[in-house]
Structure formats: C-alpha cells, structure tokens
Amino acid sequence: MSALETVPDAAGHFGPYGGMFVPETLMTALHELSAEYARARCDKRFSAELDSLLRDFAGRPTPLYLAERLTEKLGGAKIYLKREDLLHTGAHKINNALGQVLLARRMGKKRIIAETGAGQHGVATATVAARFGFECVVYMGAVDMERQALNVARMRFLGATVVPVTAGQATLKEAINEAMRDWVTNVRTTHYILGTVYGSHPYPMMVRDFHRVIGIEARRQILEKEGRLPDLLVACVGGGSNAIGLFHPFLEDESVKMVGVEAGGEGIVSGKHAARFQGGRLGVLQGAKSWLLADENGQIQLTHSVSAGLDYAAVGPEHCLLRDQGRVQYDYATDDQALEAFRTLSRIEGIIPALESAHAIAHVMKVAPGMDGIIIANLSGRGDKDVAQAAEMLL
C-alpha cells in the first residue's frame, strides 16, 4: 500500500500494521462504526455540520503564527507555530471529538466513553458530550489524575464521570484497557471516542481524517504568507494524532521533510522513556499491530515521560508505515529538553505550551540554528494543565 493512499485496506492494515485485534464481542460494533463512517464521509450534511461546529464552537481556523523572537534567538530557519492550543478546550483533540460525537448520534448511541492521559482528550470528549446532552464516562490512570488535576476538575464540571484506574502503571495504557472493558459490556448503547490514531480499524484512519484539517489549514496559510511550502514539519508523537493531522496533507510534497518527536524520558539507555521507534519491537496491543515497547517475551514494558500524553507503549500504525517508507523521520526529546523548550517558548514568545508540544519545540530548537528555510511546528496544546508540574521542576 502506498503511503499516499488515504485509506488502509479493507481489514484496516497500513502495510503490515494496524488491523482489527479485538474480542468478537466488539467486531459488530467496529463494523457498524466503519460502515457509518463510510456513509458519513460522503454525506455533505455531515461535513457541513462538522465544519460549522469546528468554526463556531471550536474556533477554527487556528492561526499560523510566525515566532519572530524564537526565530531571532535561534538563528537559521524561520519558525512558524500552528496554534492548535488556541482551540476550545486548549488542544487539537476537539477536532476528533466533534467528528466522533456526530457519528455516535447517527448510530443512535447516547452514552460516550473515552480514555485520557494528559486529560485533553477527556476534556474534549466531556465537552462534546455536554454539547449534545450525552452521558459521559472518562477512564484515567490514577497517576495521571494526580499530575493533571486541573483537567480532572474540568471534566467533572462538564458533567463527566472520571473513573480512576489503579491497575499496572496507572497511566494511559491501563485507562484504555478499562475503557475497552466498558465498551465490551455496554456495546449496544455506548460509543467509544478513542483519542488517537491507534486501536482497531477504523479508528486510525477515522481519527486521522478528523485531524487532517490541521495540515489543510497550515498548507493554505503558509502559501498565503510565504508563497511557498515549508521545508520541515515537526510535531510530537504519542499515539500520533496531531502529527498525522499536520503531516498527511503534505505527504505528496516531496520537498517537505517531516519529523515526529517521541518522548525520550530520562534517556533511551535508561529504559525510562516512551520512544517506541528507538527501543521497540513489532507486536499487538489494544487492537492493532504496531511498534511498541515490549520485552523478548512480548510483555509490555513500563514507560516514562514528563508528559502524560506521550507516556504510551505503542504508536499509530500509519506512522509505522511512513517510517518504513522513509517519508517521515522520528526522533525523540528527553524530559530535560522538553522542559527547557517549555521555559524558552514561555519567556521568548509569551506562549506556555503543553509539555507534549514542548517536545516538538525542543526538536525545533535543536535543528533550526543549522537550517536555512521554513519550519512549521504543531503547537498541539496549551500548557495550563502542566503549570503546577512544571513549576515543581523549573521554579
């Protein structure tokens, strides 16, 4: 399959990756979702309603901002930031949540469940559930609930039930496990709004499509501002939704290089990281075949990142294919590098980024001084949720 195709094969494979590795009890729901999404993406009324919500409720289009002082400080490349942090709820996650809640309504589902790590997807899901009057349950690791207390409060204000997950590492992987158990039990009445380009088909394709608006806008905006395409796109990669949303509309533009930045944690050698392409292997986790952090027996390894949203053991299957084909390169930034980027962007540009987004900025800070060209970095979320955690480390 070509990386330039817009859909995986009928079984949900991006080359050797992806697929539908779920219990039989979920297959009917997944086939129903696939069929409904296929109808919806051809339905002009669906597209018009989603576009209206993205514009009037979420706040699209987001600006493409020239970071003049950061550009001057680093020297070299001209740096633009795609300001997804200015969206309603504070991150790109609302793009996908709005698309999926409309699908849930089309299917007659009135109960919404979700997983969340950093809390941004949970907040986005709680927001759209409130907007449409649906019951909402969000599963979140107990560790993440402590370091993202602000977002827990936001979800509860929005009417969601936030369920702490204490099993295992008590972070994102375990939250997804609990959400999938809920879905198996309540599949007739419940839609699972999965928050990234991972999981069983059709989620990797569907979530990507709902986030393509990021790259579509950025492409138009940079042509308006500079009269040409950028030389480099940079985005952080947990599951990979904000990155694929930026990258996908540029895949056919061979002159545009792309880098996804994983969480390097305390360093690759330390083993305390979430950089799947640096120390991972092929395996199956939570519905899909992908690169993941596992030992020689296939047991999932512990992960670590200062960013709750990047602290996940697997990566989206389309990213795996793009890496194999050499179309996208994948690097990593450590906790220390991300924190320095967090501090730098805050003080130089007056923009406090999410710690996830700070990983992308860290890569920009590394490569911009030696470049003569244009960089677009996806500022996927704002840092309100991370201020207390960062203050303990930086102030």
Side-chain angles (χ1 to χ4, degrees), residues 38 243 272:
K272 295 180 179 180

Side-chain angles (χ1 to χ4, degrees), residues 6 19 38 59 81 84 116 134 145 226 241 260 268 300 305 307 323 328 337:
T6 59
L81 305 178
E84 294 298 287
T116 196
F134 291 175
M145 288 181 71
E226 295 285 347
S241 61
I268 304 305
I300 303 303
S305 172
S307 161
R323 175 180 179 261
V328 180
Q337 290 168 331

Side-chain angles (χ1 to χ4, degrees), residues 10-12 18-39 100 103 107 109 180 183-184 187-188 190-194 198-206 286-288:
M20 301 176 78
F21 296 88
V22 295
E24 281 297 319
T25 48
L26 289 180
M27 290 301 291
T28 298
L30 287 168
H31 287 308
E32 177 192 16
L33 179 59
S34 296
E36 194 61 54
Y37 179 58
R39 288 188 289 268
Q100 287 203 50
L103 286 176
M107 294 185 292
K109 305 292 178 70
M180 291 186 72
W183 199 24
V184 168
V187 67
R188 294 181 183 275
T190 298
H191 175 63
Y192 179 14
I193 300 186
L194 199 153
Y198 194 72
S200 177
H201 179 69
Y203 283 105
M205 172 186 70
M206 184 174 67
Q286 293 172 331

Side-chain angles (χ1 to χ4, degrees), residues 185-224:
T185 304
N186 301 290
V187 67
R188 294 181 183 275
T189 61
T190 298
H191 175 63
Y192 179 14
I193 300 186
L194 199 153
T196 193
V197 286
Y198 194 72
S200 177
H201 179 69
Y203 283 105
M205 172 186 70
M206 184 174 67
V207 177
R208 177 204 70 198
D209 289 350
F210 288 140
H211 283 305
R212 287 184 77 253
V213 64
I214 303 170
I216 291 170
E217 288 179 5
R219 198 175 196 281
R220 181 182 69 247
Q221 290 165 329
I222 197 66
L223 288 172
E224 290 173 354

Side-chain angles (χ1 to χ4, degrees), residues 22 41 102 104 159 189 214 220-221 252 267 280 308 314 317 344 378 382 388:
V22 295
R41 70 192 307 195
L102 292 181
T189 61
I214 303 170
R220 181 182 69 247
Q221 290 165 329
E252 294 186 4
T344 297
N378 198 13
R382 67 176 181 241

